[in-house]
C-alpha cells in the first residue's frame, strides 16, 4: 500500500509539473485560440495608405523611433550642436547675399517670360555632382508641357573642418569655395550664395533668405517647388497637379507630418531641449525633402516667417509659420519624402523601378546616379519598361538602348 501510494504521488507530481510547464510555455508564446493564420516572423506589417503622417504619441521619456528612424540623412554633417551658442545668435537673421541671380525670373519683361514654376533646391558647395544631375534631368530649365520652368540652388558658405574663419587657412578655404561657386554661377546662372555657415541647423536661414529673395526677385512666379538635391521629381506629374490650381489662392502641398514629437535624446541629431521648444508636439508641417507652394502662400510666408522665432529644424519652422497664418498644409500621397517603402506583400520587389516612379511626384533619398538613371528609364522613346518580365535584348548593353 505504501509503495502504491508513493507511486501515485509521483505520477501526480509529474502530471502537475507537465501541466504547469505547458501553461508557462503557452503564456510565454502568447498562445491563444487563433482565428487566422499567423503573420510570418520578421515581415513588416502592412503600412496604411499614404496621407498625413501621424506619429504615435509615446509615454513620457520614451524615444519616438518613427521620426528619428524615418527622417532622411541631413545634407551636411551636424556634429555636436552647441545650443548655448545657437540661443545667443538665433536673432541674427540677416546675412549678405554673396552671389545673386537678379534676372532669373525677369526675362525681357513680357508676360510669357514669367515663370510658371520656380525650382529652389537646397544644396552644399561640395555637392556639384548632385547639382549637375538635377540640371540634366528633372530640374532642367525651359518650357515643359507648355510651362516655363526656372531653377536656383540655395547655398551657404561651407564650414571647413579643422580651420578657423579668422585665420589665413580659414579665409583661404572660404575664398577657394567662393571662387569655385562664382565660376559655376557664371556657367549656369543658378547659384544663390549667402554669407552664413552651411550647416544642418542653418537650413532655417536658407528658408527665410530664400523666401525674401523670391519675394524680391521672383514675385510673379506662379508656383514654387522647394526641395533637397537628393530627390527625384516627376516634373510632368507635378505640373499636372498644379495645372488646375490658382496661384492667387493659398497652397502648400507635400508629405504632411502631424503629431511629431520633439526628440529629447541628447545623442540625436534632432535633439531639441525643452528650453528651445517646450510643447509636446510640433505643428503640422510638410517634409522638407520636397513640397510645392503657390505665389500667394509664398508672399504670406515671407511675412509670417519674419515674425516667428527661428527654430533649428527648417521644415518644422515652416510649419510654425503656417500655424501663425492659420494655414494647413495639404497632404499628397505622391510626395514621398521618406522614400518608397518596401511592400509587405512583396518583400522581393525592387522599389527602384520606373513603374513606381511614374505614378509619383517626389521621391527622396537618391544618389546622383540614381536620379539620372531613373530619369532615363522614365523618358525612354516608347515609355518606361515596367516590372513585368521583358525579353533580354541581344548584344552589348548601351545606355541609349
Amino acid at each position: 500500500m505504501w509503495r502504491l501510494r508513493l507511486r501515485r504521488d509521483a505520477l501526480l507530481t509529474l502530471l502537475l509539473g507537465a501541466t504547469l510547464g505547458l501553461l508557462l510555455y503557452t503564456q510565454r508564446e502568447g498562445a491563444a485560440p487563433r482565428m487566422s493564420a499567423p503573420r510570418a516572423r520578421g515581415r513588416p506589417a502592412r503600412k496604411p495608405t499614404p496621407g498625413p503622417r501621424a506619429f504615435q504619441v509615446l509615454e513620457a521619456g520614451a524615444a519616438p523611433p518613427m521620426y528619428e528612424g524615418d527622417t532622411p540623412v541631413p545634407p551636411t554633417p551636424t556634429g555636436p550642436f552647441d545650443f548655448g551658442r545657437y540661443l545667443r545668435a538665433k536673432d541674427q537673421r540677416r546675412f549678405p547675399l554673396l552671389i545673386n541671380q537678379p534676372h532669373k525670373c525677369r526675362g525681357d519683361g513680357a508676360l510669357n517670360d514669367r515663370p510658371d514654376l520656380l525650382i529652389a533646391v537646397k544644396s552644399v558647395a561640395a555637392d556639384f555632382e548632385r547639382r549637375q544631375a538635377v540640371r540634366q534631368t528633372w530640374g532642367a530649365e525651359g518650357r515643359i508641357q507648355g510651362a516655363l520652368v526656372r531653377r536656383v540652388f540655395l547655398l551657404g558658405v561651407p564650414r571647413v573642418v579643422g580651420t578657423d574663419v579668422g585665420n589665413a587657412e580659414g579665409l583661404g578655404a572660404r575664398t577657394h569655395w567662393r571662387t569655385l561657386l562664382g565660376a559655376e554661377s557664371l556657367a549656369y546662372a543658378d547659384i544663390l550664395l549667402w554669407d552664413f555657415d552651411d550647416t544642418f541647423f542653418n537650413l532655417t536661414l536658407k528658408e527665410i533668405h530664400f523666401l525674401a529673395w523670391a519675394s524680391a526677385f521672383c514675385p510673379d512666379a506662379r508656383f514654387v517647388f522647394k526641395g533637397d538635391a537628393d530627390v527625384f521629381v516627376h516634373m510632368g506629374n507635378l505640373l499636372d497637379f498644379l495645372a488646375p490650381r490658382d496661384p492667387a489662392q493659398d497652397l502648400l502641398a507635400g508629405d504632411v507630418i502631424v503629431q511629431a514629437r520633439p526628440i529629447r535624446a541628447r545623442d540625436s541629431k534632432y535633439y531639441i531641449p525643452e528650453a528651445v521648444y517646450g510643447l509636446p508636439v510640433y505643428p503640422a508641417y510638410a517634409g522638407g525633402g520636397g513640397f510645392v507652394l503657390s505665389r500667394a502662400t509664398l508672399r504670406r510666408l515671407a511675412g509670417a516667417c519674419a515674425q516667428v522665432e527661428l527654430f533649428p529644424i527648417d521644415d518644422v519652422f515652416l510649419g510654425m509659420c503656417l500655424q501663425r497664418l492659420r494655414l494647413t498644409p495639404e497632404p499628397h500621397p505622391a510626395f514621398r519624402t521618406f522614400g518608397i517603402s518596401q511592400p509587405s506583400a512583396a518583400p522581393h520587389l525592387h522599389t527602384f523601378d520606373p513603374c513606381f516612379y511614374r505614378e509619383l511626384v517626389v521621391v527622396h533619398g537618391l544618389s546622383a546616379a540614381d536620379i539620372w538613371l531613373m530619369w532615363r528609364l522614365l523618358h525612354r522613346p516608347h515609355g518606361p519598361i515596367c516590372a513585368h518580365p521583358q525579353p533580354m535584348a541581344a548584344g552589348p548593353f548601351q545606355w541609349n538602348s
Side-chain angles (χ1 to χ4, degrees), residues 10-212:
L11 290 175
L12 183 61
T13 301
L14 289 174
L15 181 60
L16 289 174
T19 304
L20 179 60
L22 181 61
L23 288 174
L24 290 174
Y25 176 81
T26 55
Q27 182 179 13
R28 186 171 69 89
E29 292 296 316
R34 288 179 176 174
M35 310 297 279
S36 59
R39 194 180 63 199
R41 292 184 185 178
R43 183 176 297 176
R46 182 182 298 273
K47 296 189 176 181
T49 302
R53 295 176 181 263
F55 289 96
Q56 58 191 2
V57 179
L58 304 177
E59 298 295 332
M66 292 188 67
Y67 181 69
E68 172 72 5
D70 289 350
T71 304
V73 177
T76 55
T78 62
F81 187 65
D82 186 350
F83 271 100
R85 180 180 177 184
Y86 169 78
L87 292 173
R88 290 190 297 271
K90 69 181 179 60
D91 293 329
Q92 186 180 1
R93 52 196 304 156
R94 292 186 180 181
F95 291 84
L97 183 58
L98 302 177
I99 298 178
N100 191 12
Q101 308 299 334
H103 305 293
K104 172 60 65 173
C105 297
R106 292 180 182 175
D108 59 6
L111 288 176
N112 58 357
D113 279 341
R114 297 176 182 177
D116 296 292
L117 179 66
L118 172 66
I119 297 172
V121 181
K122 295 176 287 185
S123 184
V124 294
D127 218 353
F128 175 78
E129 182 183 14
R130 288 190 189 274
R131 290 195 291 277
Q132 281 294 83
V134 171
R135 290 176 180 126
Q136 296 173 7
T137 58
W138 64 265
E141 295 188 310
R143 292 279 174 184
I144 302 175
Q145 296 182 186
L148 181 61
V149 178
R150 292 285 182 251
R151 175 195 65 241
V152 290
F153 291 97
L154 316 177
L155 294 93
V157 176
R159 179 193 293 176
V160 181
V161 178
T163 63
D164 188 352
V165 176
N167 62 25
E169 187 179 1
L171 291 173
R174 292 170 71 92
T175 302
H176 167 75
W177 280 113
R178 184 169 175 180
T179 301
L180 289 178
L181 292 172
E184 187 176 346
S185 176
L186 288 175
Y188 299 103
D190 58 5
I191 298 294
L192 296 177
L193 175 66
W194 285 277
D195 193 17
F196 54 77
D197 287 342
D198 205 343
T199 63
F200 173 67
F201 282 95
N202 274 351
L203 289 176
T204 302
L205 293 177
K206 283 188 183 180
E207 195 74 59
I208 63 173
H209 283 78
F210 168 69
L211 290 173

Side-chain angles (χ1 to χ4, degrees), residues 376 379-383 400-401:
R376 296 299 300 266
H379 291 80
R380 295 170 59 90
H382 303 293
N400 294 325
S401 62

